Amino acid sequence: MLPGATIGVLGGGQLGRMLALAGSAMGYRFVALDPAPDAPCGQVTPQIAAAYNDQDAARELARRSDVITYEFENVDAGVAALLAEESYVPQGSALLYTTQHRLREKAAIEAAGVPVAPYRKVGSLAELEAAAAELGLPCVLKTATGGYDGKGQAVIREATELEAAFRQVAPGAAVAGTPAGEAGASTAAAVPELVLEKFVAFQCEISVVAARSASGEVKSFPPAENIHVNNILHLSIVPARVPEEIQRRACELAERLITGLNAVGLLAVEMFVTEDGELFVNELAPRPHNSGHYTMDACATSQFEQHVRAITNLPLGDTTLLTPVVMVNVLGQHLEGAVNTVSAYDEIANKLGVIPKLHIYGKTESKNGRKMGHINLLCKDTEDGLSWVEQSNLWRN
């Protein structure tokens, strides 16, 4: 599908915006579907303002598009299936269905021969207690669907915390309630599907963004080492500070997964690295990923250009890392300071030899904890980029 074709984007957030900016430079046209007026993607491309489950709007998107992609997982899988019937959706709806549900996702990862942390399905407090006894503490209780940036989950370190964690992750559910979907379950008492994961004592978290084209070509980007603050990604460091052999195995796992899942487009694979060098996959995201934003300035091809190439079946781009880089997220409380810092002479950057590249997402409302942009810090050594983050003093709050 050559440049000049129109790419429809289900979702109009910052990922859609950066996808449209990259694809427009290649000659593609875009149209987005998003319920929010003046959505970030809608500021740079035409937008259909409607709910994600609006089937008439979905058909309008299909009518105006030659190919359709989605920019986040929590879109209506039914609408994605409808679009697949009426338009060309190379990602399909099957992968979306899988990655929207943690239990299905873990089963798919295991089926591809890739390790995940031990886990158990949980449908009641009694099942939680039994699963915790079997897996051992500490553990992490999560909702099977939804949840991001730490939402919909609770860390359990002691047996005395089990009931509180259950109430936190399944608010409003009766402690002795009937699991969702079973006979006799009431709306008030139904327990959503939950999953208990054994806490992996990891040395660090890394992620790999892999791409697969419609014709089956596969390439992966260099692994990023991720650091979170308050369950929100704060930094991505590339090259990751792990041995090259672990980086190589991480890329192999990501490429095995994207091939085994028959995915088209991008697949971000988050992994834990243990002290003895084992890798456990934590989560998947079938789309561009926050930890892949470093590619916009530091790689021969960005993750967004690569996604466009994959879904239009162009040859995949070179993923070579051109420079060490530290990506740092700009949240609502950091936005003003970050803009002011990069808009003036930066003595710290000059001293360290760091080149800050600011990307702002165009969200209409800035809130504490909300991702408003990011800065890619190009540097000779990632320690210089980390020093810039520390010395700039913007991320103290």
Side-chain angles (χ1 to χ4, degrees), residues 4-26:
T6 298
I7 299 173
V9 184
L10 197 53
Q14 67 261 28
L15 299 180
R17 177 191 181 98
M18 291 182 277
L19 186 69
L21 290 172
S24 295
M26 299 168 67

Side-chain angles (χ1 to χ4, degrees), residues 174-359:
V175 170
T178 307
E182 290 189 9
S186 68
T187 303
V191 178
E193 284 188 283
L194 307 175
V195 56
L196 186 70
E197 300 174 3
K198 184 174 179 60
F199 188 85
V200 175
F202 60 92
Q203 181 183 30
C204 66
E205 181 195 284
I206 62 174
S207 58
V208 175
V209 177
R212 181 174 179 271
S213 70
S215 61
E217 183 185 9
V218 175
K219 287 187 178 181
S220 56
F221 288 95
E225 177 187 348
N226 300 322
I227 296 175
H228 294 77
V229 174
N230 297 325
N231 295 310
I232 300 173
L233 181 64
H234 174 45
L235 298 169
S236 288
I237 303 164
V238 187
R241 296 172 298 182
V242 298
E244 289 187 9
E245 191 272 335
I246 290 179
Q247 296 186 43
R248 179 188 58 77
R249 281 197 287 121
C251 290
E252 287 177 354
L253 289 181
E255 292 175 13
R256 186 191 307 172
L257 274 171
I258 199 169
T259 301
L261 293 169
N262 201 33
V264 173
L266 297 185
L267 183 71
V269 184
E270 298 178 8
M271 310 177 206
F272 294 132
V273 183
T274 66
E275 291 286 348
D276 56 2
E278 287 186 281
L279 292 171
F280 291 96
V281 172
N282 180 34
E283 288 186 343
L284 306 179
R287 52 164 173 79
H289 194 257
N290 194 175
S291 68
H293 291 349
Y294 78 88
T295 63
M296 297 172 73
D297 300 297
C299 287
T301 305
S302 77
Q303 66 167 340
F304 299 101
E305 178 185 340
Q306 196 77 305
H307 186 74
V308 171
R309 287 179 170 276
I311 63 172
T312 58
N313 208 24
L314 295 184
L316 295 181
D318 190 315
T319 59
T320 300
L321 184 71
L322 303 177
T323 173
V325 58
V326 174
M327 189 285 299
V328 55
N329 270 328
V330 175
L331 306 183
Q333 62 267 36
H334 313 135
L335 181 60
E336 183 178 356
V339 171
N340 290 339
T341 296
V342 300
S343 300
Y345 176 73
D346 191 335
E347 185 176 348
I348 298 172
N350 187 59
K351 179 181 68 175
L352 294 169
V354 169
I355 303 172
K357 295 285 191 177
L358 176 66
H359 299 266

Side-chain angles (χ1 to χ4, degrees), residues 111-124:
V114 175
V116 298
Y119 68 96
R120 296 291 184 272
K121 179 181 178 181
V122 170
S124 67

Side-chain angles (χ1 to χ4, degrees), residues 20-178:
L21 290 172
S24 295
M26 299 168 67
Y28 290 95
R29 295 176 179 270
F30 285 80
V31 57
L33 171 61
D34 193 282
D38 196 34
C41 188
Q43 295 169 19
V44 300
T45 194
Q47 177 185 342
I48 301 168
Y52 293 126
N53 60 358
D54 186 326
Q55 296 196 356
D56 289 336
R59 289 190 175 95
E60 173 69 7
L61 182 69
R63 185 187 67 78
R64 295 170 62 175
S65 306
D66 297 300
V67 58
I68 291 175
T69 186
Y70 45 79
E71 60 121 35
F72 73 119
E73 299 99 308
N74 294 324
V75 297
D76 188 290
V79 166
L82 180 151
L83 289 170
E85 293 177 1
E86 302 199 5
S87 184
Y88 176 51
V89 186
Q91 291 160 285
S93 59
L95 183 59
L96 191 64
Y97 175 80
T98 298
T99 56
Q100 281 180 340
H101 193 283
R102 285 188 171 93
L103 289 166
R104 290 196 292 264
E105 179 178 275
K106 289 178 184 299
I109 294 170
E110 290 176 309
V114 175
V116 298
Y119 68 96
R120 296 291 184 272
K121 179 181 178 181
V122 170
S124 67
L125 178 58
E127 289 184 7
L128 172 60
E129 292 170 341
E134 188 175 351
L135 293 176
L137 296 178
C139 283
V140 184
L141 182 65
K142 299 179 180 180
T143 55
T145 58
Y148 62 95
D149 290 344
K151 299 176 177 66
Q153 60 181 266
V155 178
I156 304 167
R157 295 180 175 85
E158 304 288 342
T160 54
E161 299 171 350
L162 288 168
E163 183 173 334
F166 183 83
R167 291 184 184 277
Q168 176 187 329
V169 178
V175 170
T178 307

Side-chain angles (χ1 to χ4, degrees), residues 364-383:
T364 55
E365 186 179 4
S366 179
K367 297 179 181 178
N368 282 8
R370 190 182 194 194
K371 295 172 184 173
M372 303 301 296
H374 69 272
I375 301 174
N376 284 332
L377 300 161
L378 310 183
C379 43
K380 294 182 179 67
D381 189 282
T382 54
E383 291 303 318

